[in-house]
Amino acid sequence: MASVQQARQHRSLPGFGLTLGFTLFYLSILVLLPLSMVFVKSSGLSWGEFLGVVTEKRVMASYRLSFGTAFTASVINLVFGILIAWVFVRYHFPFRRLLDGLIDLPFALPTAVAGIALTTLYAEQGRLGQFIPMKIVYTPIGITIALVFIGLPFVVRMVQPVLQGLEKELEEASYMMGASRLQTFRKIIFPEILPAALTGFALTFARALGEYGSVVFIAGNMPMKTEITPLIIMTKLEQYDYAGATAIAVVMLILSFILLLCINGLQWWTSRKILEN
């Protein structure tokens, strides 16, 4: 009895049982229960009907477009997000704080406004589109640009604190030992920021995969060409085909979970390697 009381006294979080129960209840109401309804609603279809809906040519084309553009945009944001975070942390220049604050603008800006603005800008007769030889609007390129816009803050905000916490003495020691700037970045800096960069990549990919408002205007929504999966789900809902919409949503949910699980596994493996070294 005494040992149990001592264990309770030494818990770092008082009332752990109560707080854990509240956390699980909160997550169940907001996350698990709504997601379970997707599976329940799609269960009204037979296995053959389910496969017929989720493997339809139009739907398969939307999978390729959604996942392809989301992955491309995430890779672009991964590269340039690290570069932008590096500039904001390591250099001081006029209006740096203002530009740093503008990074968060896609979080505050309604996605529909972003879609309209990008469409107006990159249209063939737009302010910028008229000088670009290739067509941007109503193509996968335009979709990728929209996804890059809404996902950029994730990588920057994940990498920036890590760069700020790095000890400059390590870099100076590397330079004193004869290492070049590229070698120092590759051997010392990059391994430190890699877990945070992968987290930003995963967040960007998840956001891009489910994005609707900023993409629907610039995509053109042409079946088999520029029609994203969230739009097909919305179309089926408007047609009162709830079972078909939830069936496609189930596929997106499972594929997204698998990809994010792989990314998180890679992040865990990278962090473990860094600790071992």
Side-chain angles (χ1 to χ4, degrees):
M1 185 67 179
S3 61
V4 175
Q5 292 179 350
Q6 291 178 357
R8 290 179 177 176
Q9 292 176 355
H10 288 87
R11 283 176 177 171
S12 58
L13 292 177
F16 176 74
L18 179 62
T19 54
L20 178 61
F22 177 78
T23 301
L24 293 177
F25 173 77
Y26 192 75
L27 289 176
S28 298
I29 294 297
L30 293 182
V31 179
L32 299 180
L33 186 60
L35 291 181
S36 65
M37 289 299 100
V38 175
F39 290 90
V40 171
K41 194 67 179 180
S42 61
S43 64
L45 297 173
S46 65
W47 182 246
E49 292 173 335
F50 179 86
L51 288 179
V53 171
V54 301
T55 58
E56 184 184 353
K57 288 185 178 181
R58 182 177 174 183
V59 178
M60 293 295 292
S62 72
Y63 292 153
R64 290 190 292 269
L65 179 66
S66 295
F67 281 93
T69 53
F71 181 80
T72 303
S74 300
V75 171
I76 294 173
N77 279 331
L78 178 64
V79 175
F80 289 96
I82 294 176
L83 177 62
I84 293 172
W86 177 271
V87 170
F88 283 149
V89 172
R90 294 304 176 92
Y91 299 100
H92 297 276
F93 50 89
F95 306 108
R96 181 174 67 91
R97 291 185 178 274
L98 176 61
L99 294 175
D100 189 25
L102 289 177
I103 292 295
D104 295 324
L105 184 61
F107 285 153
L109 190 68
T111 55
V113 175
I116 294 173
L118 291 172
T119 304
T120 304
L121 180 64
Y122 289 103
E124 292 184 2
Q125 301 302 323
R127 294 295 180 90
L128 187 59
Q130 60 181 328
F131 301 109
I132 301 176
M134 68 179 66
K135 186 176 181 181
I136 301 296
V137 177
Y138 310 145
T139 67
I141 299 176
I143 298 175
T144 303
I145 291 175
L147 296 181
V148 168
F149 174 81
I150 58 99
L152 178 62
F154 290 105
V155 177
V156 176
R157 292 310 182 214
M158 291 302 300
V159 174
Q160 200 169 1
V162 180
L163 285 175
Q164 290 172 341
L166 284 179
E167 298 180 359
K168 293 186 178 180
E169 289 79 4
L170 295 175
E171 299 178 45
E172 294 174 356
S174 176
Y175 297 145
M176 292 179 62
M177 295 178 66
S180 64
R181 291 183 178 272
L182 180 60
Q183 289 174 329
T184 301
F185 179 82
R186 185 168 57 89
K187 294 292 186 178
I188 296 177
I189 300 175
F190 186 70
E192 293 291 334
I193 66 175
L194 183 56
L198 290 176
T199 301
F201 177 88
L203 292 174
T204 303
F205 181 80
R207 171 70 187 274
L209 200 58
E211 180 60 25
Y212 177 79
S214 62
V215 175
V216 69
F217 294 101
I218 200 170
N221 311 319
M222 293 180 287
M224 306 293 296
K225 293 182 179 179
T226 60
E227 189 176 38
I228 58 175
T229 305
L231 178 62
I232 290 184
I233 294 175
M234 289 297 299
T235 302
K236 288 187 175 294
L237 289 175
E238 292 174 354
Q239 297 172 351
Y240 302 101
D241 184 9
Y242 299 120
T246 53
I248 299 173
V250 164
V251 174
M252 292 289 290
L253 179 62
I254 293 175
L255 292 177
S256 302
F257 179 78
I258 293 174
L259 289 173
L260 291 177
L261 186 63
C262 293
I263 295 172
N264 288 331
L266 179 61
Q267 178 190 4
W268 172 83
W269 179 81
T270 304
S271 302
R272 184 179 178 182
K273 284 294 183 182
I274 292 174
L275 293 176
E276 290 177 352
N277 295 332

